[in-house]
Amino acid sequence: MPRKVRELIQHLKEADFYEIRGGGKGSHRKFTHDKYPGAVTLSGKDGDDAKPYQERQVKEAIEEVKE
């Protein structure tokens, strides 16, 4: 069962990612970290099911900053 977009956001925030204000349009939100080059963009409302590529992107971004 896919996780919800709100869960992915929670995992990013727990890994010290922060949202870039004005970084996304509509339902898009961008998160970045001091150790992460670029940004992670998530689309969808909090209660929407996350897409597999979104789950993968969040997992890889968190792993990269932990190194």
Side-chain angles (χ1 to χ4, degrees):
M1 186 163 133
R3 292 188 286 171
K4 299 293 183 185
V5 171
R6 81 171 67 85
E7 294 176 70
L8 298 183
I9 292 171
Q10 179 182 354
H11 291 304
L12 285 170
K13 288 182 176 180
E14 288 171 356
D16 295 327
F17 278 79
Y18 55 93
E19 187 170 355
I20 301 171
R21 290 289 167 198
K25 291 188 174 187
S27 64
H28 288 73
R29 287 166 278 191
K30 283 187 172 183
F31 295 86
T32 192
H33 190 283
D34 294 336
K35 295 181 183 177
Y36 187 73
V40 177
T41 303
L42 292 176
S43 62
K45 297 178 183 174
D46 286 346
D48 290 348
D49 289 341
K51 306 280 190 261
Y53 75 88
Q54 292 174 317
E55 292 190 46
R56 199 167 40 251
Q57 185 182 24
V58 167
K59 180 183 174 202
E60 290 171 1
I62 291 172
E63 287 175 357
E64 188 170 331
V65 299
K66 284 185 178 180
E67 293 177 356

